[in-house]
Amino acid sequence: YYQNQADADAGNNNFISNPTSYIVNESQTLYVRLVKNHFCDTVLELELNLNTAPVAENPVSLGPECDEDGDGWVEFNLEDAIPLLVPSQPGNLNYTFYLNQSDAESGNNPQNPLVNIATGSTQTYWVDISDGVCRSFSTIILIASESMQNVTNQTELEPKMLCDEDFDEFITVDLTEWHDELILSDLGIQFSYFMSQTDAENETNPITNYLNFPVTDSPTIIWVVIKNEAGCREIRYVEYEIGEKIPVNASEFQLEPFCSNVLDLTQLETEISNETGIHFYYYTDINSAESGGNDFIINPAQFPVNSDGMVYVRLEKNGFCPEIVLLIYQQGEEVPHQPE
């Protein structure tokens, strides 16, 4: 065996001394001189093509991935790691996946690229990367995040009833009031709010005024994305309903003219509303009536009066929103009579 044709043609002693352990560093052409008694010598070319094994990143990771369906397992496709393993030529190679190094080197027990691992765990797979001639090995680390814990079931989330508490015909809510109901502990939890399920699933068009969100329709449904620090999430919806006001027969009522200096403000309660089980609170000013404070008239059945006036009656009943009516009273005239 010779490294050049001239030496091979001459048959000199400059031949390769170690043909059984010849080191090849690059592709090259060698020359073989065949010699046999009673035959003419022949020189042949021997092409040595040195292929380079694929150069792979090692290790590469997939994840953290989340348990989207809550079954305690996370599915991975090992082929998703291919662009990470050999970024320069991922499409020109063959990839075979194994559970351990021994299987990878021997080619035994190849694995399906679709694998499942338990939430909160990691697992390493080996991959044989081959160009059909040469091959290299790498490892893929799979990371399965812990699933969301202690998120309230959808069926346990009851609608919240709203009332126009300040009687200004506007209702606003703080959507963060749901946090304690949605999850046992909100430590490290992110909440975002959406008007539709599609927006929630895609996390697009989040509600930005969630601390002062206007509620105009009944019911109003808000979709909430609950996400932990690993990026795993659950989606729930919460509901607001605008309560019905206590039905009243009129907005203003006129008491019978009074003659004494003590007036029974409660005398028209049965006429104000046909509902039963109503609590009536009497106030001397509208602001107090609207806020429903404790500065109501303590004894409305014996209200001291000395001139015409009005009071505000706040009606309250479980399951209804409060209502306010105006109660007007006037001093009666004395019966005309002849002077003595």
Side-chain angles (χ1 to χ4, degrees):
Y1 296 85
Y2 297 88
Q3 290 182 320
N4 61 72
Q5 188 170 2
D7 288 341
D9 289 342
N12 60 34
N13 291 329
N14 194 25
F15 53 80
I16 296 170
S17 61
N18 58 337
T20 60
S21 57
Y22 180 70
I23 297 175
V24 180
N25 295 317
E26 60 183 357
S27 296
Q28 56 186 283
T29 302
L30 299 181
Y31 299 89
V32 185
R33 184 181 180 91
L34 305 179
V35 180
K36 184 176 182 181
N37 290 335
H38 311 298
F39 287 87
C40 296
D41 294 353
T42 301
V43 175
L44 303 176
E45 288 187 5
L46 179 62
E47 296 287 343
L48 299 181
N49 294 314
L50 180 63
N51 286 345
T52 301
V55 179
E57 299 289 335
N58 186 33
V60 299
S61 298
L62 293 180
E65 295 292 336
C66 302
D67 178 13
E68 298 292 350
D69 57 8
D71 66 350
W73 297 90
V74 178
E75 182 179 84
F76 290 86
N77 187 343
L78 297 175
E79 292 179 345
D80 290 341
I82 289 175
L84 305 174
L85 289 164
V86 188
S88 60
Q89 56 178 119
N92 301 323
L93 302 170
N94 297 316
Y95 300 83
T96 310
F97 306 99
Y98 298 90
L99 287 171
N100 52 59
Q101 182 177 359
S102 176
D103 284 350
E105 291 175 346
S106 64
N108 292 328
N109 194 27
Q111 299 295 302
N112 188 302
L114 293 178
V115 299
N116 288 278
I117 69 173
T119 57
S121 67
T122 62
Q123 187 165 336
T124 300
Y125 279 79
W126 283 74
V127 54
D128 178 346
I129 307 167
S130 171
D131 61 6
V133 178
C134 300
R135 63 180 185 162
S136 60
F137 300 95
S138 183
T139 54
I140 304 170
I141 301 173
L142 307 181
I143 306 170
S145 294
E146 290 283 358
S147 58
M148 292 286 291
Q149 302 292 324
N150 301 315
V151 179
T152 305
N153 292 329
Q154 183 64 64
T155 55
E156 298 174 10
L157 295 170
E158 297 290 338
K160 291 185 185 295
M161 191 183 81
L162 301 176
C163 295
D164 180 12
E165 299 290 351
D166 54 6
F167 294 85
D168 64 353
E169 299 184 0
F170 294 97
I171 299 176
T172 58
V173 294
D174 179 354
L175 297 179
T176 65
E177 67 179 338
W178 288 96
H179 290 187
D180 290 343
E181 293 184 47
L182 287 166
I183 192 167
L184 183 62
S185 171
D186 61 3
L187 184 64
I189 300 296
Q190 271 187 329
F191 298 87
S192 47
Y193 314 90
F194 303 86
M195 291 298 298
S196 71
Q197 182 177 2
T198 300
D199 281 348
E201 290 172 349
N202 298 326
E203 295 192 46
T204 55
N205 305 313
I207 295 172
T208 56
N209 58 336
Y210 56 86
L211 294 176
N212 195 32
F213 181 75
V215 176
T216 57
D217 298 319
S218 183
T220 290
I221 294 176
I222 304 296
W223 293 83
V224 187
V225 174
I226 310 161
K227 187 178 294 186
N228 64 14
E229 292 175 322
C232 298
R233 69 178 190 176
E234 292 280 349
I235 297 178
R236 298 288 187 269
Y237 66 85
V238 297
E239 186 174 347
Y240 289 103
E241 296 177 354
I242 299 177
E244 178 187 356
K245 286 188 175 183
I246 298 174
V248 294
N249 296 320
S251 60
E252 293 184 7
F253 293 86
Q254 179 79 51
L255 288 172
E256 291 291 330
F258 67 90
C259 296
S260 67
N261 59 357
V262 175
L263 182 62
D264 181 4
L265 300 177
T266 68
Q267 58 186 284
L268 295 183
E269 288 184 355
T270 57
E271 298 181 26
I272 292 175
S273 176
N274 298 326
E275 288 288 325
T276 58
I278 295 176
H279 297 281
F280 295 85
Y281 300 92
Y282 297 81
Y283 296 86
T284 57
D285 67 273
I286 185 62
N287 292 332
S288 296
E290 289 177 346
S291 63
N294 292 327
D295 54 343
F296 50 82
I297 298 169
I298 299 299
N299 188 1
Q302 294 185 354
F303 179 63
V305 292
N306 53 29
S307 63
D308 297 350
M310 63 184 68
V311 295
Y312 300 89
V313 187
R314 180 184 176 98
L315 289 70
E316 295 183 2
K317 180 181 179 179
N318 288 338
F320 288 86
C321 290
E323 182 61 284
I324 294 176
V325 298
L326 181 63
L327 201 59
I328 301 172
Y329 55 85
Q330 292 178 327
Q331 190 170 18
E333 297 180 4
E334 291 186 0
V335 178
H337 62 280
Q338 295 293 332
E340 294 180 0

